[in-house]
Structures are given as structure tokens and as C-alpha cells.
Amino acid sequence: MSLEDLYSEIILDYAKNPQFKGSLENAYENHAKNLSCGDEINLFLKIEDDIIKDAKFEGHGCIISQASTSMLCEALKGLNTEKGKELINEVIKMSQGKSFNEHIIGDLDIFKDISTYPMRIKCFTLAWHTALETIEDFEEG
Ligand code: ZN
């Protein structure tokens, strides 16, 4: 798969889609940077009664990081924190080229070849590691 193929229509659409851009009040917030590329995100998760009610982000960076963060917000919204962590762990496994649960991953499998682009893996996983930290912050109260 070429890098051009990785930048599919879907990924480009997500990178441009402003639906998940912005901040949230009374939400758990985490900031993260990928120094190797200059990607920067501020992730907001609104968690109530153990459910991720809403997810948004601010920030900038390459297409992969922006599309990945948009898809993360869409995928986590509505899940309980346990399911959210399960999804995140599967996505991280996929990015490492390990076998993953296709049923849990769903449409996110458009990124399944990311593991063959070592320079781009951090762009892709930035949001997912940040979301995992955010859910753990919530669990620790
Ligand atoms: Zn990047």
C-alpha cells in the first residue's frame, strides 16, 4: 500500500471535517504533542455516569493526526469507559501491526496499514494514547 492510498478520501474527509473541533465545558481535558511531526492536540472528553457523552478536540498537525483524532471522537462518543478503553487498546494493537478484533475496530480499519509507516505511527496514536490517559484520569477521580 502506498502512502497515497493511505490518504484515502475517507481520511481526507475526516481531517477536514470540523464536526469534532472545539472545546467542551466541564470535561476532562488533556494536552499532547508529537514532537517528531509537530502535531498538537487538546482533547476534551465529557464523561458522565461512566458514559463518554461527548468528545471534541482543538489543535493542529498533519492529516493523519487530525483525521485520527476526529475518528477517535466519533468512535468514543456514546461508549461507556470500559468499552472506550477496549476500543483504544485494539486501535493501539492495530497500529503496532498486531492482530486485533475487527468487530471492535470497525471502520477504523482504514488505518490498518499505519504500522508499515513507522514515521506516521506517532501521528496516528497520539489521540488514542491521550484518550486512554483521559479515561484513566476520570477513573482515578
Ligand atoms: Zn503528524
Side-chain angles (χ1 to χ4, degrees):
M1 193 192 210
S2 71
L3 195 58
E4 285 71 31
D5 291 334
L6 186 63
Y7 289 178
S8 71
E9 287 291 313
I10 302 165
I11 289 173
L12 293 172
D13 280 352
Y14 271 99
K16 283 184 289 187
N17 188 346
Q19 192 185 346
F20 299 103
K21 279 282 192 115
S23 61
L24 291 170
E25 305 248 322
N26 305 315
Y28 289 82
E29 180 183 349
N30 256 317
H31 184 76
K33 274 184 194 178
N34 170 18
L35 295 175
S36 63
C37 182
D39 306 319
E40 220 172 323
I41 57 164
N42 230 7
L43 182 71
F44 299 88
L45 296 183
K46 190 162 190 150
I47 306 174
E48 283 170 9
D49 302 325
D50 217 33
I51 306 284
I52 303 162
K53 299 263 182 177
D54 208 354
K56 283 198 173 187
F57 74 104
E58 293 172 329
H60 55 265
C62 67
I63 289 164
I64 296 289
S65 70
Q66 300 297 294
S68 172
T69 313
S70 270
M71 290 189 84
L72 168 134
C73 290
E74 184 175 60
L76 287 184
K77 201 171 165 176
L79 295 183
N80 67 34
T81 51
E82 214 41 56
K83 290 271 178 209
K85 282 198 297 184
E86 191 179 36
L87 173 67
I88 293 166
N89 284 318
E90 290 300 318
V91 168
I92 291 171
K93 276 198 265 177
M94 176 178 75
S95 73
Q96 292 167 339
K98 296 177 184 166
S99 63
F100 58 89
N101 184 324
E102 288 174 28
H103 180 69
I104 293 174
I105 290 287
D107 293 343
L108 287 158
D109 72 354
I110 57 165
F111 280 109
K112 69 178 183 296
D113 290 317
I114 197 78
S115 61
T116 60
Y117 296 98
M119 299 294 289
R120 303 254 77 116
I121 293 173
K122 280 187 187 168
C123 302
F124 174 73
T125 55
L126 183 70
W128 300 88
H129 285 298
T130 308
L132 192 57
E133 263 172 48
T134 309
I135 293 173
E136 284 165 359
D137 286 349
F138 161 77
E139 288 175 336
E140 284 162 18

